[in-house]
Amino acid sequence: MLRFAALPLLLAAAPASFQDTALIDQAVQNFTGHPVGVEGGARTPVDARLRLAACPMVSLNWMSDTHDAVVVSCTAPAWKIYVPVISVPRAMPAAGAPVRAAAPVAAAPVIKRGDPVTVSANAAGFAITREGVAMGDAAPGARFLVDMDGSRKGVQAVAIAAGQAILPGYEP
């Protein structure tokens, strides 16, 4: 008889109402901006058999930067669920996201370390040319160092073609 005396207390402690899962689905749809079953939206509706204590205000956040799940949580009473999201392919930027340019393809070097290089500087009224040795590899338009006097300090130059370079700021 004592065993059943605690049963009414346990039933009284059980929540009288449960969270409506349709409201959670709607909140997730509003958060992601996409309906259930559509790319960017929840994979499936939240299972209606789920019995969560009614929550006056749910909180929604992305689980990670990959936006592959929404965390729906309640602080009082405390509960948390994860709603999986259909991933948007990374090749296509999300609506309104800035588009980044493709990474430039590295050009093959026209000057290699140890190559003899003619460095020139031309301007209105004068032209100067000096010989040196490349201290590194360089593709056309890339900067590199040229050893002009054997001191190994190097002078910065811009590669033009095989064995030819200019000082930065001058035209070829």
Side-chain angles (χ1 to χ4, degrees), residues 90-145:
R90 286 292 180 192
M92 296 183 64
V99 178
R100 291 188 295 168
V105 177
V110 291
I111 297 175
K112 300 211 182 225
R113 182 179 179 164
D115 286 353
V117 179
T118 302
V119 180
S120 61
N122 300 318
F126 83 94
I128 185 167
T129 303
R130 295 260 334 246
E131 300 291 324
V133 177
M135 297 175 68
D137 298 349
R143 292 182 183 221
F144 69 107
L145 292 177

mmCIF file of all heavy atoms in Angstrom, residues 90-145:
data_model
loop_
_atom_site.group_PDB
_atom_site.id
_atom_site.type_symbol
_atom_site.label_atom_id
_atom_site.label_comp_id
_atom_site.label_asym_id
_atom_site.label_seq_id
_atom_site.Cartn_x
_atom_site.Cartn_y
_atom_site.Cartn_z
ATOM 1 N N ARG A 90 28.414 23.909 -50.973
ATOM 2 C CA ARG A 90 29.358 25.003 -50.757
ATOM 3 C C ARG A 90 29.748 25.685 -52.068
ATOM 4 O O ARG A 90 30.225 26.793 -52.066
ATOM 5 C CB ARG A 90 30.628 24.493 -50.053
ATOM 6 C CG ARG A 90 30.395 24.193 -48.606
ATOM 7 C CD ARG A 90 30.135 25.481 -47.904
ATOM 8 N NE ARG A 90 29.900 25.230 -46.501
ATOM 9 C CZ ARG A 90 29.420 26.131 -45.696
ATOM 10 N NH1 ARG A 90 29.108 27.314 -46.123
ATOM 11 N NH2 ARG A 90 29.236 25.865 -44.433
ATOM 12 N N ALA A 91 29.538 25.020 -53.212
ATOM 13 C CA ALA A 91 29.901 25.624 -54.489
ATOM 14 C C ALA A 91 29.028 26.828 -54.796
ATOM 15 O O ALA A 91 29.443 27.747 -55.476
ATOM 16 C CB ALA A 91 29.780 24.596 -55.603
ATOM 17 N N MET A 92 27.802 26.817 -54.282
ATOM 18 C CA MET A 92 26.898 27.935 -54.525
ATOM 19 C C MET A 92 26.778 28.750 -53.250
ATOM 20 O O MET A 92 26.399 28.231 -52.212
ATOM 21 C CB MET A 92 25.519 27.412 -54.930
ATOM 22 C CG MET A 92 25.521 26.646 -56.231
ATOM 23 S SD MET A 92 23.880 26.132 -56.690
ATOM 24 C CE MET A 92 23.100 27.701 -56.936
ATOM 25 N N PRO A 93 27.088 30.037 -53.305
ATOM 26 C CA PRO A 93 26.968 30.853 -52.101
ATOM 27 C C PRO A 93 25.503 31.044 -51.724
ATOM 28 O O PRO A 93 24.627 31.019 -52.574
ATOM 29 C CB PRO A 93 27.614 32.185 -52.493
ATOM 30 C CG PRO A 93 27.585 32.211 -53.980
ATOM 31 C CD PRO A 93 27.596 30.770 -54.432
ATOM 32 N N ALA A 94 25.268 31.192 -50.437
ATOM 33 C CA ALA A 94 23.907 31.421 -49.947
ATOM 34 C C ALA A 94 23.411 32.764 -50.469
ATOM 35 O O ALA A 94 24.190 33.650 -50.798
ATOM 36 C CB ALA A 94 23.902 31.413 -48.415
ATOM 37 N N ALA A 95 22.101 32.909 -50.531
ATOM 38 C CA ALA A 95 21.510 34.146 -51.036
ATOM 39 C C ALA A 95 21.995 35.332 -50.219
ATOM 40 O O ALA A 95 21.993 35.302 -48.995
ATOM 41 C CB ALA A 95 19.997 34.054 -50.987
ATOM 42 N N GLY A 96 22.443 36.356 -50.889
ATOM 43 C CA GLY A 96 22.903 37.564 -50.209
ATOM 44 C C GLY A 96 24.340 37.503 -49.737
ATOM 45 O O GLY A 96 24.872 38.489 -49.248
ATOM 46 N N ALA A 97 24.990 36.328 -49.869
ATOM 47 C CA ALA A 97 26.374 36.199 -49.404
ATOM 48 C C ALA A 97 27.320 36.801 -50.445
ATOM 49 O O ALA A 97 27.060 36.720 -51.637
ATOM 50 C CB ALA A 97 26.733 34.729 -49.181
ATOM 51 N N PRO A 98 28.411 37.428 -50.008
ATOM 52 C CA PRO A 98 29.356 37.986 -50.970
ATOM 53 C C PRO A 98 30.039 36.867 -51.744
ATOM 54 O O PRO A 98 30.328 35.806 -51.196
ATOM 55 C CB PRO A 98 30.357 38.739 -50.092
ATOM 56 C CG PRO A 98 30.230 38.138 -48.747
ATOM 57 C CD PRO A 98 28.813 37.631 -48.639
ATOM 58 N N VAL A 99 30.289 37.082 -53.011
ATOM 59 C CA VAL A 99 30.934 36.093 -53.859
ATOM 60 C C VAL A 99 32.424 36.383 -53.867
ATOM 61 O O VAL A 99 32.851 37.506 -54.129
ATOM 62 C CB VAL A 99 30.369 36.157 -55.298
ATOM 63 C CG1 VAL A 99 31.073 35.160 -56.189
ATOM 64 C CG2 VAL A 99 28.875 35.904 -55.280
ATOM 65 N N ARG A 100 33.193 35.356 -53.551
ATOM 66 C CA ARG A 100 34.642 35.510 -53.543
ATOM 67 C C ARG A 100 35.202 35.091 -54.893
ATOM 68 O O ARG A 100 34.742 34.145 -55.503
ATOM 69 C CB ARG A 100 35.280 34.652 -52.451
ATOM 70 C CG ARG A 100 34.961 35.149 -51.064
ATOM 71 C CD ARG A 100 35.758 34.417 -50.038
ATOM 72 N NE ARG A 100 35.353 33.015 -50.036
ATOM 73 C CZ ARG A 100 36.015 32.058 -49.414
ATOM 74 N NH1 ARG A 100 37.107 32.322 -48.770
ATOM 75 N NH2 ARG A 100 35.589 30.821 -49.433
ATOM 76 N N ALA A 101 36.223 35.782 -55.344
ATOM 77 C CA ALA A 101 36.873 35.435 -56.600
ATOM 78 C C ALA A 101 37.679 34.157 -56.416
ATOM 79 O O ALA A 101 38.146 33.846 -55.320
ATOM 80 C CB ALA A 101 37.809 36.569 -57.028
ATOM 81 N N ALA A 102 37.833 33.420 -57.498
ATOM 82 C CA ALA A 102 38.607 32.180 -57.448
ATOM 83 C C ALA A 102 40.067 32.517 -57.180
ATOM 84 O O ALA A 102 40.561 33.589 -57.550
ATOM 85 C CB ALA A 102 38.475 31.429 -58.760
ATOM 86 N N ALA A 103 40.751 31.604 -56.524
ATOM 87 C CA ALA A 103 42.163 31.808 -56.222
ATOM 88 C C ALA A 103 42.952 31.853 -57.525
ATOM 89 O O ALA A 103 42.706 31.056 -58.423
ATOM 90 C CB ALA A 103 42.680 30.680 -55.339
ATOM 91 N N PRO A 104 43.876 32.785 -57.648
ATOM 92 C CA PRO A 104 44.648 32.884 -58.883
ATOM 93 C C PRO A 104 45.542 31.663 -59.052
ATOM 94 O O PRO A 104 46.054 31.111 -58.083
ATOM 95 C CB PRO A 104 45.476 34.155 -58.696
ATOM 96 C CG PRO A 104 45.506 34.392 -57.226
ATOM 97 C CD PRO A 104 44.255 33.779 -56.671
ATOM 98 N N VAL A 105 45.701 31.263 -60.298
ATOM 99 C CA VAL A 105 46.559 30.130 -60.601
ATOM 100 C C VAL A 105 47.987 30.654 -60.707
ATOM 101 O O VAL A 105 48.242 31.661 -61.381
ATOM 102 C CB VAL A 105 46.127 29.461 -61.928
ATOM 103 C CG1 VAL A 105 47.051 28.331 -62.297
ATOM 104 C CG2 VAL A 105 44.692 28.994 -61.829
ATOM 105 N N ALA A 106 48.903 29.983 -60.039
ATOM 106 C CA ALA A 106 50.291 30.422 -60.039
ATOM 107 C C ALA A 106 50.911 30.188 -61.412
ATOM 108 O O ALA A 106 50.800 29.094 -61.972
ATOM 109 C CB ALA A 106 51.079 29.681 -58.973
ATOM 110 N N ALA A 107 51.547 31.223 -61.962
ATOM 111 C CA ALA A 107 52.211 31.116 -63.253
ATOM 112 C C ALA A 107 53.577 30.464 -63.047
ATOM 113 O O ALA A 107 54.173 30.559 -61.977
ATOM 114 C CB ALA A 107 52.373 32.502 -63.872
ATOM 115 N N ALA A 108 54.049 29.834 -64.101
ATOM 116 C CA ALA A 108 55.358 29.183 -64.035
ATOM 117 C C ALA A 108 56.443 30.259 -63.963
ATOM 118 O O ALA A 108 56.338 31.304 -64.612
ATOM 119 C CB ALA A 108 55.558 28.314 -65.263
ATOM 120 N N PRO A 109 57.485 30.020 -63.196
ATOM 121 C CA PRO A 109 58.554 31.019 -63.097
ATOM 122 C C PRO A 109 59.302 31.169 -64.420
ATOM 123 O O PRO A 109 59.564 30.190 -65.103
ATOM 124 C CB PRO A 109 59.472 30.474 -62.007
ATOM 125 C CG PRO A 109 58.942 29.166 -61.590
ATOM 126 C CD PRO A 109 57.691 28.882 -62.330
ATOM 127 N N VAL A 110 59.629 32.422 -64.777
ATOM 128 C CA VAL A 110 60.445 32.682 -65.959
ATOM 129 C C VAL A 110 61.887 32.955 -65.540
ATOM 130 O O VAL A 110 62.787 32.921 -66.371
ATOM 131 C CB VAL A 110 59.894 33.867 -66.788
ATOM 132 C CG1 VAL A 110 58.575 33.498 -67.433
ATOM 133 C CG2 VAL A 110 59.769 35.122 -65.968
ATOM 134 N N ILE A 111 62.074 33.237 -64.259
ATOM 135 C CA ILE A 111 63.414 33.441 -63.707
ATOM 136 C C ILE A 111 63.584 32.480 -62.538
ATOM 137 O O ILE A 111 62.711 32.379 -61.679
ATOM 138 C CB ILE A 111 63.613 34.892 -63.238
ATOM 139 C CG1 ILE A 111 63.510 35.840 -64.441
ATOM 140 C CG2 ILE A 111 64.938 35.066 -62.512
ATOM 141 C CD1 ILE A 111 63.580 37.298 -64.084
ATOM 142 N N LYS A 112 64.701 31.769 -62.539
ATOM 143 C CA LYS A 112 64.987 30.815 -61.461
ATOM 144 C C LYS A 112 66.215 31.277 -60.693
ATOM 145 O O LYS A 112 67.063 32.007 -61.215
ATOM 146 C CB LYS A 112 65.212 29.422 -62.046
ATOM 147 C CG LYS A 112 64.012 28.918 -62.807
ATOM 148 C CD LYS A 112 63.928 27.454 -62.723
ATOM 149 C CE LYS A 112 62.744 27.028 -63.555
ATOM 150 N NZ LYS A 112 61.924 26.103 -62.970
ATOM 151 N N ARG A 113 66.305 30.819 -59.463
ATOM 152 C CA ARG A 113 67.433 31.173 -58.607
ATOM 153 C C ARG A 113 68.744 30.801 -59.303
ATOM 154 O O ARG A 113 68.888 29.703 -59.835
ATOM 155 C CB ARG A 113 67.309 30.436 -57.281
ATOM 156 C CG ARG A 113 68.404 30.774 -56.338
ATOM 157 C CD ARG A 113 68.226 30.057 -55.036
ATOM 158 N NE ARG A 113 69.326 30.394 -54.169
ATOM 159 C CZ ARG A 113 69.344 30.197 -52.893
ATOM 160 N NH1 ARG A 113 68.322 29.625 -52.299
ATOM 161 N NH2 ARG A 113 70.381 30.552 -52.178
ATOM 162 N N GLY A 114 69.686 31.753 -59.301
ATOM 163 C CA GLY A 114 70.995 31.519 -59.914
ATOM 164 C C GLY A 114 71.069 31.961 -61.366
ATOM 165 O O GLY A 114 72.172 32.025 -61.933
ATOM 166 N N ASP A 115 69.926 32.296 -61.990
ATOM 167 C CA ASP A 115 69.932 32.763 -63.384
ATOM 168 C C ASP A 115 70.550 34.153 -63.470
ATOM 169 O O ASP A 115 70.342 34.996 -62.588
ATOM 170 C CB ASP A 115 68.510 32.849 -63.943
ATOM 171 C CG ASP A 115 67.898 31.502 -64.260
ATOM 172 O OD1 ASP A 115 68.603 30.481 -64.176
ATOM 173 O OD2 ASP A 115 66.688 31.476 -64.588
ATOM 174 N N PRO A 116 71.294 34.430 -64.564
ATOM 175 C CA PRO A 116 71.747 35.801 -64.787
ATOM 176 C C PRO A 116 70.549 36.657 -65.198
ATOM 177 O O PRO A 116 69.692 36.222 -65.962
ATOM 178 C CB PRO A 116 72.752 35.669 -65.937
ATOM 179 C CG PRO A 116 72.434 34.380 -66.598
ATOM 180 C CD PRO A 116 71.778 33.505 -65.574
ATOM 181 N N VAL A 117 70.477 37.874 -64.657
ATOM 182 C CA VAL A 117 69.327 38.748 -64.884
ATOM 183 C C VAL A 117 69.821 40.140 -65.252
ATOM 184 O O VAL A 117 70.760 40.662 -64.648
ATOM 185 C CB VAL A 117 68.441 38.827 -63.612
ATOM 186 C CG1 VAL A 117 67.262 39.750 -63.835
ATOM 187 C CG2 VAL A 117 67.956 37.462 -63.198
ATOM 188 N N THR A 118 69.150 40.745 -66.251
ATOM 189 C CA THR A 118 69.397 42.137 -66.611
ATOM 190 C C THR A 118 68.269 42.961 -66.020
ATOM 191 O O THR A 118 67.101 42.767 -66.366
ATOM 192 C CB THR A 118 69.433 42.312 -68.145
ATOM 193 O OG1 THR A 118 70.455 41.473 -68.688
ATOM 194 C CG2 THR A 118 69.705 43.757 -68.520
ATOM 195 N N VAL A 119 68.610 43.873 -65.111
ATOM 196 C CA VAL A 119 67.622 44.723 -64.451
ATOM 197 C C VAL A 119 67.707 46.107 -65.073
ATOM 198 O O VAL A 119 68.796 46.676 -65.190
ATOM 199 C CB VAL A 119 67.884 44.804 -62.928
ATOM 200 C CG1 VAL A 119 66.851 45.702 -62.267
ATOM 201 C CG2 VAL A 119 67.870 43.421 -62.311
ATOM 202 N N SER A 120 66.551 46.639 -65.483
ATOM 203 C CA SER A 120 66.548 47.960 -66.112
ATOM 204 C C SER A 120 65.566 48.887 -65.418
ATOM 205 O O SER A 120 64.630 48.440 -64.758
ATOM 206 C CB SER A 120 66.223 47.840 -67.606
ATOM 207 O OG SER A 120 64.943 47.266 -67.770
ATOM 208 N N ALA A 121 65.802 50.186 -65.624
ATOM 209 C CA ALA A 121 64.899 51.230 -65.143
ATOM 210 C C ALA A 121 64.859 52.282 -66.236
ATOM 211 O O ALA A 121 65.894 52.850 -66.595
ATOM 212 C CB ALA A 121 65.385 51.808 -63.832
ATOM 213 N N ASN A 122 63.675 52.495 -66.784
ATOM 214 C CA ASN A 122 63.516 53.455 -67.877
ATOM 215 C C ASN A 122 62.522 54.520 -67.458
ATOM 216 O O ASN A 122 61.477 54.214 -66.894
ATOM 217 C CB ASN A 122 62.997 52.762 -69.143
ATOM 218 C CG ASN A 122 63.932 51.689 -69.637
ATOM 219 O OD1 ASN A 122 65.144 51.877 -69.644
ATOM 220 N ND2 ASN A 122 63.382 50.560 -70.050
ATOM 221 N N ALA A 123 62.867 55.765 -67.771
ATOM 222 C CA ALA A 123 61.971 56.897 -67.514
ATOM 223 C C ALA A 123 62.260 57.955 -68.576
ATOM 224 O O ALA A 123 63.222 57.830 -69.339
ATOM 225 C CB ALA A 123 62.177 57.444 -66.120
ATOM 226 N N ALA A 124 61.451 58.982 -68.602
ATOM 227 C CA ALA A 124 61.655 60.051 -69.583
ATOM 228 C C ALA A 124 63.015 60.689 -69.367
ATOM 229 O O ALA A 124 63.310 61.219 -68.302
ATOM 230 C CB ALA A 124 60.555 61.090 -69.456
ATOM 231 N N GLY A 125 63.884 60.592 -70.374
ATOM 232 C CA GLY A 125 65.186 61.249 -70.282
ATOM 233 C C GLY A 125 66.326 60.358 -69.850
ATOM 234 O O GLY A 125 67.485 60.742 -69.967
ATOM 235 N N PHE A 126 66.076 59.159 -69.326
ATOM 236 C CA PHE A 126 67.197 58.296 -68.956
ATOM 237 C C PHE A 126 66.786 56.822 -68.976
ATOM 238 O O PHE A 126 65.618 56.467 -68.901
ATOM 239 C CB PHE A 126 67.775 58.663 -67.582
ATOM 240 C CG PHE A 126 67.031 58.079 -66.418
ATOM 241 C CD1 PHE A 126 67.435 56.880 -65.851
ATOM 242 C CD2 PHE A 126 65.926 58.727 -65.885
ATOM 243 C CE1 PHE A 126 66.756 56.353 -64.769
ATOM 244 C CE2 PHE A 126 65.247 58.199 -64.808
ATOM 245 C CZ PHE A 126 65.655 57.006 -64.238
ATOM 246 N N ALA A 127 67.817 55.972 -69.066
ATOM 247 C CA ALA A 127 67.641 54.522 -68.995
ATOM 248 C C ALA A 127 68.902 53.949 -68.367
ATOM 249 O O ALA A 127 70.009 54.392 -68.656
ATOM 250 C CB ALA A 127 67.412 53.928 -70.378
ATOM 251 N N ILE A 128 68.716 52.984 -67.493
ATOM 252 C CA ILE A 128 69.859 52.361 -66.835
ATOM 253 C C ILE A 128 69.639 50.850 -66.836
ATOM 254 O O ILE A 128 68.522 50.370 -66.681
ATOM 255 C CB ILE A 128 70.062 52.899 -65.398
ATOM 256 C CG1 ILE A 128 71.346 52.321 -64.796
ATOM 257 C CG2 ILE A 128 68.873 52.614 -64.536
ATOM 258 C CD1 ILE A 128 71.792 53.009 -63.536
ATOM 259 N N THR A 129 70.743 50.118 -67.009
ATOM 260 C CA THR A 129 70.687 48.660 -67.038
ATOM 261 C C THR A 129 71.857 48.129 -66.216
ATOM 262 O O THR A 129 72.987 48.625 -66.334
ATOM 263 C CB THR A 129 70.809 48.135 -68.480
ATOM 264 O OG1 THR A 129 69.764 48.710 -69.265
ATOM 265 C CG2 THR A 129 70.661 46.634 -68.523
ATOM 266 N N ARG A 130 71.569 47.117 -65.382
ATOM 267 C CA ARG A 130 72.626 46.471 -64.586
ATOM 268 C C ARG A 130 72.434 44.972 -64.656
ATOM 269 O O ARG A 130 71.317 44.474 -64.796
ATOM 270 C CB ARG A 130 72.536 46.887 -63.105
ATOM 271 C CG ARG A 130 72.795 48.326 -62.823
ATOM 272 C CD ARG A 130 74.169 48.710 -62.311
ATOM 273 N NE ARG A 130 74.941 47.737 -61.605
ATOM 274 C CZ ARG A 130 75.288 47.811 -60.314
ATOM 275 N NH1 ARG A 130 74.884 48.821 -59.577
ATOM 276 N NH2 ARG A 130 76.035 46.902 -59.785
ATOM 277 N N GLU A 131 73.533 44.256 -64.493
ATOM 278 C CA GLU A 131 73.510 42.804 -64.502
ATOM 279 C C GLU A 131 73.545 42.292 -63.059
ATOM 280 O O GLU A 131 74.118 42.917 -62.182
ATOM 281 C CB GLU A 131 74.720 42.235 -65.267
ATOM 282 C CG GLU A 131 74.798 42.664 -66.716
ATOM 283 C CD GLU A 131 73.710 42.060 -67.570
ATOM 284 O OE1 GLU A 131 73.337 40.899 -67.337
ATOM 285 O OE2 GLU A 131 73.201 42.762 -68.466
ATOM 286 N N GLY A 132 72.913 41.156 -62.839
ATOM 287 C CA GLY A 132 72.924 40.557 -61.516
ATOM 288 C C GLY A 132 72.553 39.087 -61.589
ATOM 289 O O GLY A 132 72.392 38.524 -62.670
ATOM 290 N N VAL A 133 72.434 38.468 -60.422
ATOM 291 C CA VAL A 133 72.079 37.052 -60.321
ATOM 292 C C VAL A 133 70.818 36.928 -59.476
ATOM 293 O O VAL A 133 70.734 37.509 -58.376
ATOM 294 C CB VAL A 133 73.232 36.245 -59.671
ATOM 295 C CG1 VAL A 133 72.851 34.793 -59.495
ATOM 296 C CG2 VAL A 133 74.502 36.370 -60.496
ATOM 297 N N ALA A 134 69.836 36.182 -59.989
ATOM 298 C CA ALA A 134 68.565 36.005 -59.275
ATOM 299 C C ALA A 134 68.795 35.254 -57.974
ATOM 300 O O ALA A 134 69.488 34.242 -57.946
ATOM 301 C CB ALA A 134 67.569 35.255 -60.147
ATOM 302 N N MET A 135 68.199 35.778 -56.891
ATOM 303 C CA MET A 135 68.314 35.135 -55.580
ATOM 304 C C MET A 135 67.098 34.256 -55.276
ATOM 305 O O MET A 135 67.002 33.661 -54.204
ATOM 306 C CB MET A 135 68.490 36.196 -54.495
ATOM 307 C CG MET A 135 69.776 36.994 -54.660
ATOM 308 S SD MET A 135 69.926 38.348 -53.484
ATOM 309 C CE MET A 135 70.122 37.486 -51.943
ATOM 310 N N GLY A 136 66.150 34.183 -56.217
ATOM 311 C CA GLY A 136 64.958 33.358 -56.032
ATOM 312 C C GLY A 136 64.212 33.223 -57.343
ATOM 313 O O GLY A 136 64.555 33.841 -58.347
ATOM 314 N N ASP A 137 63.194 32.362 -57.356
ATOM 315 C CA ASP A 137 62.374 32.153 -58.541
ATOM 316 C C ASP A 137 61.325 33.257 -58.641
ATOM 317 O O ASP A 137 60.888 33.804 -57.626
ATOM 318 C CB ASP A 137 61.645 30.808 -58.468
ATOM 319 C CG ASP A 137 62.605 29.623 -58.419
ATOM 320 O OD1 ASP A 137 63.807 29.827 -58.640
ATOM 321 O OD2 ASP A 137 62.137 28.504 -58.161
ATOM 322 N N ALA A 138 60.891 33.565 -59.885
ATOM 323 C CA ALA A 138 59.856 34.575 -60.082
ATOM 324 C C ALA A 138 59.083 34.314 -61.367
ATOM 325 O O ALA A 138 59.677 34.029 -62.412
ATOM 326 C CB ALA A 138 60.472 35.971 -60.117
ATOM 327 N N ALA A 139 57.773 34.440 -61.274
ATOM 328 C CA ALA A 139 56.888 34.369 -62.433
ATOM 329 C C ALA A 139 56.764 35.778 -63.003
ATOM 330 O O ALA A 139 57.120 36.755 -62.335
ATOM 331 C CB ALA A 139 55.526 33.834 -62.009
ATOM 332 N N PRO A 140 56.262 35.933 -64.232
ATOM 333 C CA PRO A 140 56.106 37.281 -64.782
ATOM 334 C C PRO A 140 55.253 38.166 -63.873
ATOM 335 O O PRO A 140 54.196 37.764 -63.407
ATOM 336 C CB PRO A 140 55.392 37.053 -66.121
ATOM 337 C CG PRO A 140 55.713 35.636 -66.474
ATOM 338 C CD PRO A 140 55.844 34.901 -65.163
ATOM 339 N N GLY A 141 55.759 39.369 -63.561
ATOM 340 C CA GLY A 141 55.052 40.311 -62.703
ATOM 341 C C GLY A 141 55.335 40.137 -61.222
ATOM 342 O O GLY A 141 54.927 40.966 -60.405
ATOM 343 N N ALA A 142 56.039 39.076 -60.848
ATOM 344 C CA ALA A 142 56.339 38.828 -59.432
ATOM 345 C C ALA A 142 57.637 39.515 -59.034
ATOM 346 O O ALA A 142 58.553 39.679 -59.841
ATOM 347 C CB ALA A 142 56.453 37.329 -59.177
ATOM 348 N N ARG A 143 57.705 39.909 -57.777
ATOM 349 C CA ARG A 143 58.925 40.531 -57.254
ATOM 350 C C ARG A 143 59.879 39.454 -56.751
ATOM 351 O O ARG A 143 59.463 38.422 -56.248
ATOM 352 C CB ARG A 143 58.583 41.497 -56.129
ATOM 353 C CG ARG A 143 57.835 42.711 -56.618
ATOM 354 C CD ARG A 143 57.538 43.677 -55.505
ATOM 355 N NE ARG A 143 56.761 44.798 -56.003
ATOM 356 C CZ ARG A 143 56.949 46.052 -55.646
ATOM 357 N NH1 ARG A 143 57.866 46.344 -54.755
ATOM 358 N NH2 ARG A 143 56.212 47.004 -56.164
ATOM 359 N N PHE A 144 61.168 39.750 -56.858
ATOM 360 C CA PHE A 144 62.208 38.847 -56.370
ATOM 361 C C PHE A 144 63.454 39.670 -56.095
ATOM 362 O O PHE A 144 63.513 40.853 -56.451
ATOM 363 C CB PHE A 144 62.467 37.712 -57.372
ATOM 364 C CG PHE A 144 63.113 38.164 -58.657
ATOM 365 C CD1 PHE A 144 64.451 37.888 -58.916
ATOM 366 C CD2 PHE A 144 62.400 38.872 -59.610
ATOM 367 C CE1 PHE A 144 65.048 38.310 -60.095
ATOM 368 C CE2 PHE A 144 62.983 39.288 -60.792
ATOM 369 C CZ PHE A 144 64.320 39.009 -61.033
ATOM 370 N N LEU A 145 64.458 39.072 -55.468
ATOM 371 C CA LEU A 145 65.711 39.779 -55.162
ATOM 372 C C LEU A 145 66.780 39.421 -56.182
ATOM 373 O O LEU A 145 66.879 38.272 -56.629
ATOM 374 C CB LEU A 145 66.190 39.431 -53.762
ATOM 375 C CG LEU A 145 65.334 39.945 -52.602
ATOM 376 C CD1 LEU A 145 65.882 39.455 -51.273
ATOM 377 C CD2 LEU A 145 65.263 41.465 -52.624
#
